[in-house]
Amino acid sequence: MACSPHNAVRPMHQCAYDNFDKIHDRNIGIIARDTILSSFYVDDFLVSCSTVEGAITLASNIDNILTAGRFKLRKWNSNSATVLTHMGRDSSPTEYSIDAALTSVLGLRWSPVDDNLLFKVELKQPGGICTKPSVLSEVAKLFDPTGFLSPVVVVGKIFIQTLWSAGIDWDTPPTTELRGNLA
């Protein structure tokens, strides 16, 4: 449903308004509340902190606010083993290591080891017949809610416009000249 993202985030926003005063320092509670209000996208929470101590404090305050509303955040991830240790649920101190595996968030892949954002794009193998439907399908697969891929996506959209302007039929492959414009 079109309203699903709103329905997923709205109760957490209300929880942030209702429970930010659970943090003893009002100013810090307001920072945690505002972070909740601005950093959730459906069920993903993304925030960057300049220090490890700041990350631990913010994560703890956000967790306290949301726990007061019976929201339980899971799957914490960080590029700092210290932050991961503090966000662990075990009462015994456990050694955490940063997993080399990529984490997927908002269509992006994030490598916590080297703190890089990556995209995974799987285009059809060359050699298939290029037609308007295949071009539309490939461009539509470029999910980019953050806008990082805009320079790439716009090239695909311009190519689609070029196909339409050239008056090529739906299932007719574009000319070699038009395909050369894509390169």
Side-chain angles (χ1 to χ4, degrees), residues 109-150:
R109 298 197 183 253
W110 174 56
S111 172
V113 173
D114 53 6
D115 200 19
N116 284 323
L117 294 174
L118 309 160
F119 288 91
K120 183 177 181 181
V121 177
E122 295 178 18
L123 299 175
K124 289 183 181 176
Q125 293 296 322
I129 297 174
C130 176
T131 61
K132 281 183 184 178
S134 65
V135 171
L136 285 169
S137 174
E138 295 301 321
V139 172
K141 288 179 187 176
L142 298 172
F143 177 68
D144 182 32
T146 57
F148 290 132
L149 283 180
S150 293

Side-chain angles (χ1 to χ4, degrees), residues 1-170:
M1 293 178 60
C3 63
S4 294
H6 171 77
N7 290 343
V9 175
R10 177 64 180 102
M12 286 188 288
H13 284 189
Q14 190 61 49
C15 178
Y17 284 118
D18 293 347
N19 297 307
F20 79 95
D21 58 351
K22 303 283 187 219
I23 307 303
H24 297 296
D25 183 325
R26 180 172 170 75
N27 291 330
I28 293 174
I30 289 171
I31 291 169
R33 177 199 66 197
D34 292 347
T35 304
I36 292 168
L37 297 176
S38 65
S39 298
F40 270 99
Y41 180 82
V42 187
D43 62 348
D44 290 327
F45 175 76
L46 303 168
V47 69
S48 180
C49 296
S50 56
T51 66
V52 170
E53 295 79 18
I56 292 168
T57 300
L58 182 63
S60 178
N61 290 335
I62 288 169
D63 193 41
N64 289 339
I65 290 170
L66 293 177
T67 299
R70 307 264 194 263
F71 289 97
K72 192 71 162 177
L73 296 182
R74 302 178 305 125
K75 298 182 183 178
W76 289 93
N77 207 343
S78 175
N79 62 346
S80 167
T82 305
V83 172
L84 290 175
T85 300
H86 282 279
M87 294 316 299
R89 301 288 182 213
D90 300 327
S91 56
S92 62
T94 306
E95 174 97 9
Y96 283 89
S97 63
I98 298 173
D99 189 358
L102 299 176
T103 300
S104 181
V105 178
L106 302 180
L108 297 171
R109 298 197 183 253
W110 174 56
S111 172
V113 173
D114 53 6
D115 200 19
N116 284 323
L117 294 174
L118 309 160
F119 288 91
K120 183 177 181 181
V121 177
E122 295 178 18
L123 299 175
K124 289 183 181 176
Q125 293 296 322
I129 297 174
C130 176
T131 61
K132 281 183 184 178
S134 65
V135 171
L136 285 169
S137 174
E138 295 301 321
V139 172
K141 288 179 187 176
L142 298 172
F143 177 68
D144 182 32
T146 57
F148 290 132
L149 283 180
S150 293
V152 175
V153 174
V154 78
V155 170
K157 291 182 178 185
I158 289 170
F159 185 64
I160 291 169
Q161 288 179 333
T162 304
L163 289 177
W164 255 264
S165 298
I168 294 176
D169 289 332
W170 191 247

